[in-house]
Amino acid sequence: MKLRAIKENFTLKDHVYERLREAIIDMNIYDDDAELRLDERSLAEQLAISRTPLREALARLEQEGFIAIKPRRGVFVLRKTLGEILEMIVAWAALESMAASLAAVNATDDQIAALRKHAMRNSGSSTRADLSEYSEANIEFHQMILEMSGCKLLSTMADGLFVHMYAVRRRALEEDDRATRSVADHLAIIEALEIRDPDLASRMVREHSMRLHAHIRRTWTRLAAERQSR
């Protein structure tokens, strides 16, 4: 994990939390070889702070479900079990498909045009060996749809799934040519929004998410084995 040092003129407690949260989001936590244990000494040194504000931030992250603090064992970034991931995708599909339906009615022409511009600008990066750039663009695409719905509560509810959905999509994009398929799905969603068809937009988004669901259920067998060994 790499962290930026905290600037002295910022409120320390909140910014330690923000830096740690940013770093966790940037981790590929569903990679089979991911290092999930966090070293407090290393974190404090990278942030150039004492252990006290660090531990306050870690306690907040634990309360929000990002990490687990295990006595005499250390601090570990939490990742969902296979079953939890599949349920999370279903919940995201429900939220975003409703958002797409609302966006088809409520979004401005400029917002839809911006969504298409975003998708087209980042479509070429899906073929790169390093997909980190497209991973970020991919999740931004879905966040834009939530914002275009005009329903703030949908976005707020989706934020609770954001960290894990980002990590799940990041890994999945590297598998089975899913990045190329993602680009095609995104364009189909945009077309449904452009013709202002709420039912079609909702279905396109739902099917897009459920294809991810099917892929993970079929291929992420190691997470299933982890669950059985607990």
Side-chain angles (χ1 to χ4, degrees):
M1 176 185 282
K2 295 182 179 180
L3 300 167
R4 290 182 292 161
I6 298 294
K7 294 183 179 180
E8 293 182 0
N9 60 326
F10 290 158
T11 304
L12 188 61
K13 181 173 63 175
D14 290 339
H15 283 274
V16 171
Y17 164 82
E18 289 296 335
R19 289 290 186 272
L20 290 173
R21 187 177 184 275
E22 288 173 1
I24 291 171
I25 290 173
D26 194 51
M27 292 173 66
N28 196 355
I29 63 174
Y30 289 103
D31 184 90
D32 287 340
D33 299 319
E35 175 56 60
L36 301 178
R37 188 178 187 278
L38 305 181
D39 181 79
E40 281 193 31
R41 178 180 296 178
S42 175
L43 295 178
E45 288 175 354
Q46 289 185 69
L47 291 166
I49 59 172
S50 69
R51 294 283 186 93
T52 299
L54 173 64
R55 286 172 176 167
E56 290 177 350
L58 290 173
R60 180 177 172 186
L61 289 165
E62 184 179 39
Q63 290 176 348
E64 296 180 358
F66 290 103
I67 64 172
I69 301 173
K70 301 181 180 181
R72 296 181 297 279
R73 291 185 59 193
V75 180
F76 297 84
V77 177
L78 287 177
R79 63 180 180 187
K80 304 291 188 182
T81 65
L82 179 61
E84 289 168 339
I85 290 171
L86 295 175
E87 288 187 354
M88 179 176 62
I89 295 170
V90 169
W92 184 281
L95 291 171
E96 193 181 359
S97 62
M98 185 69 245
S101 178
L102 292 171
V105 176
N106 297 331
T108 66
D109 290 342
D110 286 345
Q111 285 178 311
I112 296 174
L115 186 67
R116 175 173 283 280
K117 183 177 180 180
H118 175 84
M120 298 304 296
R121 182 174 64 246
N122 294 288
S123 60
S125 60
S126 65
T127 60
R128 298 176 185 174
D130 182 0
L131 290 170
S132 60
E133 181 179 342
Y134 183 70
S135 296
E136 292 187 18
N138 180 50
I139 201 70
E140 287 170 3
F141 176 89
H142 295 285
Q143 288 178 306
M144 289 173 74
I145 291 175
L146 287 159
E147 292 171 3
M148 288 162 57
S149 72
C151 179
K152 292 183 179 179
L153 185 56
L154 282 175
S155 295
T156 300
M157 294 170 70
D159 282 345
L161 303 172
F162 171 75
V163 171
H164 288 278
M165 283 300 300
Y166 177 83
V168 165
R169 290 185 184 277
R170 180 176 178 177
R171 173 180 162 178
L173 282 171
E174 299 175 358
E175 303 169 337
D176 198 24
D177 198 31
R178 285 195 50 79
T180 300
R181 299 179 188 185
S182 173
V183 170
D185 284 356
H186 287 185
L187 293 178
I189 291 166
I190 293 167
E191 289 170 3
L193 293 171
E194 287 174 336
I195 64 173
R196 302 290 183 172
D197 188 328
D199 292 336
L200 181 60
S202 178
R203 180 165 61 84
M204 291 292 99
V205 166
R206 184 172 59 254
E207 290 178 355
H208 176 58
S209 291
M210 295 312 292
R211 276 191 281 274
L212 173 65
H213 183 281
H215 167 78
I216 289 172
R217 184 177 59 185
R218 185 180 69 254
T219 63
W220 287 25
T221 55
R222 182 166 174 174
L223 280 179
E226 284 183 9
R227 176 61 176 173
Q228 292 172 359
S229 66
R230 291 182 183 181

